[in-house]
């Protein structure tokens, strides 16, 4: 991704990582917590966050967002917020790294509304094992993750613009169902520029599950294991949870020999191992074929994942595991938009042919949500939305303006993988 960068972004990241606070007392919730309630507008909207205080306004300086953070232990939370419009405006509600909790809403000047959603706080720490170094094991963060809201000791709630302000925030423990995501950049929460993923839109579409997104840009099945991200996901997985697994974009890259997995070799075997791990937790694995890239030849879309999408389907069929075929669905989506209009679903103003913008991610998230409902009709409840995969919404039917999609990074950052 091209954009404004600091003169020495690497030094910036190293400095930021030194300032990140990982408390030694942070651990998974194991007792009932008393609800936390914040009702003073000054605390919610003006008072700056500090570790000593443990709560406060927490906006990125260059962002249009209005953010509020509360220091919390690793765990699952239900959040109720009341907001009021200072002037008539359209806005969205987010948690953590620009994860969508509420799709675009419009409030008139002085009008208030209440919203309830579920969010998760996770830190890099892992339970100790005999194989660990003396200092213990942590998830291997990289890139801009050292300043990510997804890996700190806070729960951050954000409104997309300053025309809306918090009136009340109430946080309590969540003990319901969960959906956990493992994947690459097309699944991961994207916090900068016009980049977005179906994974970060999914929470706004599923009503009765907490969505915990462990996906990371540039990941492969191998690297997800070696960086201990898979261990971390499994540590948060409980009986009855649903685990969505989507890889291939980077596994298929021979130019990355350390993490390359052949479609007819290691790739399906790693998928089998992931499925076995999930089943061992008495949870429910779901395989997802990789979203298609946008490469046309003579007006027809090319399948750059050839062999990998087939491997996913074969493993799913052999092991009787549900498969959401996003390769097929997104290919049809791009074809229906056509070669000229399909760039409007992609990031970097359409220059990127792999990663999506907010519109593209929103459409694909609806594909995933509908398939989840079809596979788990008695478990998954969806918010009300009308989606027809044979005639998906056009770009002009849902416009995510800049006021709806604030940056949640100090600078624009590059996305790993392609």
């Amino acid at each position: 991704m091209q954009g404004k960068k600091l003169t020495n972004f690497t030094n910036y990241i190293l400095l930021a990582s030194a300032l990140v606070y990982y408390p030694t007392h942070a651990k998974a919730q194991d007792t009932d917590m008393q609800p936390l309630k914040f009702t003073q507008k000054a605390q919610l909207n003006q008072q700056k966050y500090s570790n000593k205080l443990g709560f406060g306004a927490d906006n990125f300086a260059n962002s249009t967002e209005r953010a509020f953070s509360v220091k919390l232990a690793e765990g699952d939370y239900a959040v109720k917020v009341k907001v009021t419009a200072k002037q008539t405006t359209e806005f969205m509600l987010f948690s953590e790294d620009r994860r969508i909790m509420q799709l675009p809403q419009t409030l008139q000047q002085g009008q208030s509304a209440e919203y309830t959603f579920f969010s998760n706080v996770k830190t890099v720490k892992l339970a100790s094992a005999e194989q660990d170094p003396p200092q213990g094991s942590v998830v291997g963060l990289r890139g801009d993750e050292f300043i990510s809201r997804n890996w700190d000791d806070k729960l951050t709630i954000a409104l997309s613009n300053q025309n809306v302000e918090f009136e009340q925030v109430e946080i309590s423990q969540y003990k319901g169902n969960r959906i956990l995501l493992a994947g690459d950049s097309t699944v991961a929460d994207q916090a900068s520029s016009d980049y977005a993923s179906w994974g970060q839109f999914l929470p706004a579409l599923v009503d009765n599950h907490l969505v915990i997104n462990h996906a990371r840009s540039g990941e492969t099945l191998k690297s997800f294991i070696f960086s201990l991200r898979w261990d971390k996901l499994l540590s948060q997985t409980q009986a009855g949870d649903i685990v969505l697994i989507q890889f291939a974009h980077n596994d298929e890259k021979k130019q990355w020999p350390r993490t390359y997995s052949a479609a007819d070799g290691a790739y399906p075997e790693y998928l089998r191992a992931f499925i076995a791990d999930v089943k061992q937790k008495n949870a429910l694995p779901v395989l997802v074929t990789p979203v298609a890239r946008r490469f046309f030849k003579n007006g027809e879309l090319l399948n750059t994942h050839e062999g990998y999408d087939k491997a996913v389907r074969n493993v799913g069929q052999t092991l009787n595991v549900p498969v959401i075929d996003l390769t097929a669905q997104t290919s049809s989506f791009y074809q229906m938009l056509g070669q000229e209009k399909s760039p409007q679903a992609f990031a970097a103003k359409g220059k990127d042919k792999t990663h999506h913008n907010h519109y593209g991610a929103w459409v694909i998230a609806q594909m995933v949500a509908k398939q989840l409902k079809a596979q788990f009709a008695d478990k998954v409840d969806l918010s009300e939305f009308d989606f027809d995969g044979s005639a998906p919404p056009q770009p002009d039917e849902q416009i995510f303006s800049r006021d709806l999609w604030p940056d949640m990074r100090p600078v624009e950052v590059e996305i790993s993988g392609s």
Side-chain angles (χ1 to χ4, degrees):
M1 174 183 13
Q2 299 299 316
K4 268 192 306 187
K5 301 185 179 76
L6 292 182
T7 305
N8 192 332
F9 185 67
T10 302
N11 286 343
Y12 179 86
I13 289 295
L14 292 174
L15 175 61
S17 67
L19 298 176
V20 173
Y21 175 55
Y22 297 118
T24 57
H25 65 270
K27 59 181 180 180
Q29 275 177 194
D30 52 13
T31 58
D32 290 335
M33 65 171 280
Q34 294 297 314
L36 302 173
K37 197 168 185 177
F38 302 88
T39 58
Q40 296 183 26
K41 289 178 66 173
Q43 288 182 337
L44 290 163
N45 299 292
Q46 283 89 40
Q47 188 166 289
K48 296 294 185 183
Y49 179 89
S50 69
N51 274 320
K52 182 177 180 180
L53 192 62
F55 63 86
D58 205 15
N59 308 4
F60 277 118
N62 69 314
S63 178
T64 61
E65 67 175 347
R66 184 185 295 280
F68 176 76
S69 293
V70 181
K71 187 175 183 178
L72 290 170
E74 183 172 85
D76 302 337
Y77 298 95
V79 183
K80 182 189 294 184
V81 299
K82 181 179 180 180
V83 302
T84 299
K86 297 169 64 178
Q87 63 185 64
T88 298
T89 190
E90 188 179 26
F91 69 98
M92 289 171 69
L93 178 64
F94 306 88
S95 75
E96 300 295 87
D97 257 356
R98 205 160 65 173
R99 196 175 304 156
I100 297 92
M101 300 292 109
Q102 189 70 49
L103 289 169
Q105 303 286 299
T106 299
L107 290 179
Q108 304 300 312
Q109 183 176 1
Q111 185 180 5
S112 298
E114 291 186 354
Y115 304 98
T116 300
F117 62 87
F118 313 126
S119 194
N120 171 266
V121 172
K122 62 181 184 286
T123 68
V124 293
K125 290 187 176 294
L126 288 160
S128 296
E130 185 178 347
Q131 300 86 353
D132 292 340
Q135 66 271 26
S137 283
V138 296
V139 175
L141 302 186
R142 56 191 175 85
D144 68 324
E145 284 190 297
F146 295 101
I147 52 173
S148 166
R149 289 169 171 169
N150 284 347
W151 291 103
D152 59 19
D153 60 340
K154 302 180 288 187
L155 173 60
T156 301
I157 308 154
L159 301 166
S160 54
N161 63 69
Q162 295 281 321
N163 296 329
V164 191
E165 60 184 7
F166 294 108
E167 289 280 347
Q168 182 174 301
V169 171
E170 184 174 342
I171 302 171
S172 58
Q173 192 171 352
Y174 174 82
K175 295 184 177 181
N177 301 312
R178 297 111 60 82
I179 297 172
L180 298 99
L181 310 182
D184 53 37
S185 54
T186 60
V187 187
D189 296 332
Q190 300 294 353
S192 182
S193 191
D194 64 342
Y195 282 75
S197 78
W198 65 258
Q200 71 192 116
F201 268 89
L202 194 61
L205 302 179
V206 178
D207 275 348
N208 65 332
H209 283 68
L210 162 65
V211 177
I212 306 176
N213 197 343
H214 283 267
R216 168 68 172 88
S217 297
E219 290 297 321
T220 68
L221 286 162
K222 284 184 180 180
S223 68
F224 214 74
I225 295 172
F226 300 153
S227 64
L228 303 185
R229 292 174 189 274
W230 186 238
D231 283 354
K232 186 66 179 183
L233 182 149
L234 289 175
S235 75
Q236 294 189 310
T237 303
Q238 300 172 5
D241 287 348
I242 298 170
V243 180
L244 301 183
I245 302 165
Q246 185 213 279
F247 291 92
H249 279 88
N250 305 304
D251 305 72
E252 63 196 25
K253 294 178 179 177
K254 293 182 179 179
Q255 67 268 33
W256 293 5
R258 283 177 52 196
T259 57
Y260 167 70
S261 296
D264 57 355
Y267 178 75
E269 300 308 316
Y270 274 107
L271 288 178
R272 291 172 186 271
F274 273 47
I275 289 168
D277 277 344
V278 174
K279 287 184 174 180
Q280 187 170 287
K281 289 283 188 176
N282 293 315
L284 305 167
V286 177
L287 297 180
V288 184
T289 62
V291 295
R293 296 187 182 94
R294 195 186 85 252
F295 285 91
F296 283 85
K297 184 176 181 180
N298 299 324
E300 293 296 319
L301 192 75
L302 301 177
N303 183 6
T304 66
H305 301 305
E306 189 171 0
Y308 287 85
D309 54 331
K310 181 180 179 180
V312 175
R313 289 189 287 269
N314 288 345
V315 171
Q317 182 176 17
T318 302
L319 299 183
N320 195 27
V321 169
V323 174
I324 297 175
D325 196 346
L326 283 188
T327 307
Q329 290 189 68
T330 53
S331 295
S332 295
F333 172 42
Y334 309 157
Q335 287 278 188
M336 281 186 278
L337 288 177
Q339 190 167 352
E340 297 302 318
K341 190 182 286 188
S342 56
Q344 295 181 50
F346 284 79
K349 299 180 180 178
K351 295 177 183 177
D352 195 306
K353 295 187 177 183
T354 298
H355 306 100
H356 300 94
N357 61 14
H358 18 66
Y359 160 70
W362 169 69
V363 172
I364 298 168
Q366 291 176 83
M367 297 175 184
V368 175
K370 284 289 190 181
Q371 286 298 303
L372 280 175
K373 181 64 177 177
Q375 296 287 351
F376 304 103
D378 59 337
K379 287 179 65 71
V380 174
D381 292 336
L382 303 183
S383 60
E384 292 186 10
F385 63 92
D386 184 21
F387 179 74
D388 180 359
S390 64
Q394 295 292 304
D396 57 358
E397 292 180 49
Q398 178 57 68
I399 299 171
F400 294 86
S401 67
R402 189 64 177 168
D403 285 345
L404 290 176
W405 203 245
D407 273 358
M408 293 188 184
R409 285 290 184 273
V411 292
E412 291 185 6
V413 295
E414 293 183 353
I415 290 182
S416 302
S418 59

